Amino acid sequence: MSPRVVDPAARRQAVAEAVFRVVVRDGVEQASLRNVAVEAGLAIGSIRHYFDSHDDMIIFAVEALIHSIDERVMAHVRTLGDRTGDLRRPGERVLSEVLPLDERRRDEAVLWLAFATAARTRPSLRPHAERLYDGLRQLCHRALTVMSENGTVGAVDVQLEAERLASLLNGLTVDGVLHPDRMTPELTVSLLRKHLDSLR
């Protein structure tokens, strides 16, 4: 019998998803090589075969999270220039992709918050946390630029409003993760919509 061929990229992705499950359930501090190996159903030696260290594994998982969110958000960004229907809604849809409005996005928000908090005391994570921070502001800037061009928002200081919008989205995300019974998806969307309407 020939040995089973393992796809390294698929195995690394499976490990990243195991890291996600452990972090969402138990926090970053519990995402040890051993715990992740158990979660992934692998021997710890298999984890070490693909990742040189614990930090290497966590960094790969953060990058996989960033890539996943980017891919989904960019698919919606392409609708920003659509001039049919209610012009406000494409911007709202794009920005809603980073809010904890369903199970998938809530898990991503939990991961973002966990990794960003861990980066405060773990220098190896800081550049990746900065990418998440900058990426949100770039998304807000792009959305507001297009909305300004199509008349969805009025004459605003896009740079300043992008910072304000990013701060609102951060606050809604944190509240949605920590107080989901109070900051419900319905209230979250209502607050985002109210803010965008105020810029008209």
Side-chain angles (χ1 to χ4, degrees):
M1 180 183 296
S2 59
R4 185 165 62 94
V5 177
V6 176
D7 179 349
R11 178 57 57 84
R12 286 167 69 88
Q13 183 60 36
V15 172
E17 289 169 3
V19 170
F20 296 157
R21 292 193 297 273
V22 172
V23 172
V24 167
R25 187 178 62 238
D26 304 316
V28 174
E29 64 281 357
Q30 294 302 315
S32 64
L33 290 171
R34 186 173 303 281
N35 288 344
V36 170
V38 170
E39 183 68 31
L42 298 170
I44 193 168
S46 294
I47 303 287
R48 291 196 173 109
H49 178 73
Y50 293 101
F51 299 100
D52 293 332
S53 66
H54 175 262
D55 272 7
D56 188 31
M57 178 184 71
I58 296 297
I59 288 168
F60 179 83
V62 175
E63 286 298 313
L65 173 66
I66 292 171
H67 179 72
S68 175
I69 295 172
D70 278 352
E71 275 199 331
R72 197 177 67 248
V73 168
M74 289 310 296
H76 286 279
V77 164
R78 287 188 284 273
T79 70
L80 279 173
D82 183 3
R83 293 179 176 274
T84 62
D86 187 341
L87 294 177
R88 290 174 297 175
R89 295 302 169 247
E92 183 183 310
R93 279 198 305 272
V94 169
L95 297 167
S96 292
E97 282 301 318
V98 298
L99 294 171
L101 302 180
D102 53 31
E103 184 176 3
R104 177 182 181 178
R105 285 177 284 182
R106 183 181 183 279
D107 284 352
E108 288 174 345
V110 169
L111 290 166
W112 163 76
L113 189 56
F115 289 137
T117 302
R120 190 180 66 82
T121 55
R122 295 172 68 168
S124 63
L125 291 179
R126 285 177 195 160
H128 310 280
E130 289 295 318
R131 278 189 61 201
L132 284 166
Y133 183 88
D134 292 339
L136 180 61
R137 276 149 180 77
Q138 290 163 8
L139 173 64
C140 291
H141 191 281
R142 182 166 184 177
L144 289 172
T145 297
V146 174
M147 294 170 77
S148 179
E149 289 170 352
N150 67 23
T152 309
V153 300
V156 298
D157 180 337
V158 172
Q159 189 67 42
L160 183 63
E161 289 300 338
E163 290 289 339
R164 188 161 73 115
L165 179 56
S167 295
L168 172 67
L169 295 175
N170 273 333
L172 292 174
T173 298
V174 171
D175 284 356
V177 168
L178 299 181
H179 307 284
D181 55 328
R182 299 175 69 179
M183 185 54 68
T184 63
E186 294 76 18
L187 178 56
T188 299
V189 170
S190 177
L191 291 170
L192 172 60
R193 185 171 296 168
K194 183 75 171 177
H195 177 76
L196 294 178
D197 285 347
S198 75
L199 298 177
R200 295 180 68 187

